[in-house]
Amino acid sequence: MKDQQIGDEANIGKFEHPDLTATGALRASVELTNPTTLWFNTGTLCNIECANCYIASSPTNDDLVYISADEVTRYLDELQERNWQVSEIGFTGGEPFMNPEMVEITRRALERGYEVLILTNAMRPMRRPHIQLGLVELNAAYPGKLTLRVSLDHWDARQHDLERGKGSFVKSLEGMRWLRDKGFRMTVAGRTLWGEDEADARAGYARLYAVENFAIDAADPMQTVLFPEMDARVEVPEITTECWDILQKSPDEVMCASSRMVVKRKGAGAPSVLACTLLAYDPQFELGQTLEEAERPVRLNHPHCAKFCVLGGASCSA
């Protein structure tokens, strides 16, 4: 489901006015106060189709087309021009290694001195020989700078395969073993959609890591990231300006205070900058074509803003 389809009766009357909630209260907004991560969506094409992909990636969805290395470079230049104190460049998809320029794109980010985070399912696209060769060379040339976060939805094969397709768990593990054996820094992204207690989930991942000798800390939420499910049909409260005090939370903690994402839409002449990684299709979160345009505040006018970021406390960064 694309994120502009924000559900049915669960949130009726909500998330309609950009400035006011359904009760007439002032909607919360978030300033870009500390930009630390710039994300690039490398394209929505993916080698698999998950049961519930937040960005609707699949082998046929090219709504977001492949971004080029030269387009990425232009934004890296603008980072310096705008003096954003970004330390991390993140790449997501789709499956980033479907993009034919992914190795060169990674190289250009590493050459600038950034930490690079690539989200991958570690399956066939990542394991093509020329991709593996390029990754090994980059990891050797920029030691400690490259991290691959593998999407392993659950520590149990049966549960994982319910989301990503039969046999996908085994294929992802094969990719993770290759990353382990080649000395890559590796983390994991899982989901919390099974109603499993977080402690039990982390214990399950810990057992898997021990069996596989993966150097990943299951207890560290930055190394084993457990995301709440992205279901816009679930009723959630709207976030008002008063919520920050009620929740004892600062807007600086929300993802759009510290990051932006660059995408390229099919048919567009140039990429666009979005408020965050989660809302690729909702036009109200498109901020312009430049980082300068994207420096404006973001109104929290979507169920994902409430459930995923403010109440769930999640972040896509490393």
Side-chain angles (χ1 to χ4, degrees):
M1 178 189 298
K2 292 182 181 179
D3 52 41
Q4 75 269 31
Q5 300 168 334
I6 60 169
D8 45 25
E9 296 180 0
N11 290 304
I12 191 166
K14 298 180 180 179
F15 306 105
E16 294 180 356
H17 192 284
D19 298 313
L20 302 175
T21 68
T23 63
L26 187 62
R27 185 178 305 284
S29 64
V30 174
E31 300 270 358
L32 183 69
T33 54
N34 182 31
T36 57
T37 303
L38 181 62
W39 285 92
F40 291 89
N41 186 292
T42 61
T44 40
L45 285 173
C46 188
N47 56 303
I48 59 174
E49 185 170 6
C50 296
N52 186 18
C53 176
Y54 78 96
I55 204 167
S57 298
S58 76
T60 59
N61 179 16
D62 62 349
D63 287 347
L64 303 181
V65 297
Y66 293 143
I67 198 165
S68 72
D70 286 345
E71 287 165 336
V72 169
T73 294
R74 286 199 288 274
Y75 284 98
L76 298 180
D77 289 341
E78 194 181 0
L79 277 179
Q80 295 178 313
E81 293 166 5
R82 301 301 303 166
N83 197 31
W84 286 22
Q85 299 302 302
V86 161
S87 58
E88 176 187 61
I89 304 296
F91 296 103
T92 184
E95 168 53 48
F97 292 109
M98 298 277 286
N99 186 314
E101 296 190 46
M102 192 60 217
V103 170
E104 179 60 23
I105 287 170
T106 304
R107 183 188 314 279
R108 294 193 187 188
L110 288 168
E111 285 174 346
R112 301 290 185 102
Y114 295 110
E115 302 274 344
V116 171
L117 174 65
I118 304 176
L119 278 53
T120 178
N121 56 38
M123 295 171 74
R124 183 172 296 176
M126 189 199 75
R127 298 180 64 202
R128 289 174 291 173
H130 73 283
I131 297 291
Q132 290 184 324
L133 178 61
L135 286 175
V136 168
E137 290 177 348
L138 290 176
N139 198 45
Y142 302 95
K145 289 288 190 178
L146 177 61
T147 300
L148 289 98
R149 180 189 288 168
V150 179
S151 298
L152 205 65
D153 287 328
H154 198 268
W155 51 268
D156 176 73
R158 185 181 66 85
Q159 299 281 50
H160 174 91
D161 286 2
L162 285 174
E163 178 65 29
R164 294 187 174 251
K166 186 176 181 180
S168 60
F169 184 84
V170 170
K171 292 175 183 177
S172 288
L173 275 190
E174 289 172 353
M176 292 176 73
R177 290 170 186 144
W178 179 82
L179 291 169
R180 174 200 65 197
D181 293 344
K182 296 299 182 180
F184 284 88
R185 178 186 292 171
M186 180 170 50
T187 61
V188 158
R191 302 197 192 202
T192 58
L193 61 90
W194 294 275
E196 183 178 38
D197 179 83
E198 181 176 337
D200 291 338
R202 294 193 181 279
Y205 279 106
R207 291 192 296 270
L208 174 66
Y209 300 159
V211 168
E212 296 290 343
N213 196 28
F214 293 150
I216 307 171
D217 186 348
D220 184 344
M222 305 307 289
Q223 294 191 44
T224 303
V225 189
L226 299 181
F227 289 115
E229 190 62 348
M230 304 292 292
D231 187 351
R233 297 167 299 177
V234 175
E235 184 177 8
V236 293
E238 295 181 282
I239 305 301
T240 70
T241 55
E242 295 178 347
C243 286
W244 303 122
D245 289 335
I246 294 170
L247 297 171
Q248 295 186 328
K249 189 179 183 83
S250 168
D252 292 345
E253 300 173 40
V254 180
M255 187 163 52
C256 50
S258 60
S259 69
R260 293 289 185 263
M261 182 170 78
V262 179
V263 305
K264 188 173 184 182
R265 303 194 187 282
K266 182 165 59 177
S272 309
V273 187
L274 308 185
C276 76
T277 62
L278 308 178
L279 298 167
Y281 301 111
D282 192 325
Q284 68 181 316
F285 293 94
E286 187 158 332
L287 305 178
Q289 293 186 345
T290 68
L291 298 185
E292 181 178 7
E293 292 173 301
E295 290 172 352
R296 56 193 172 95
V298 176
R299 297 181 181 89
L300 303 185
N301 193 27
H302 194 283
H304 292 346
C305 300
K307 182 182 179 184
F308 193 85
C309 291
V310 177
L311 302 177
S315 172
C316 287
S317 297

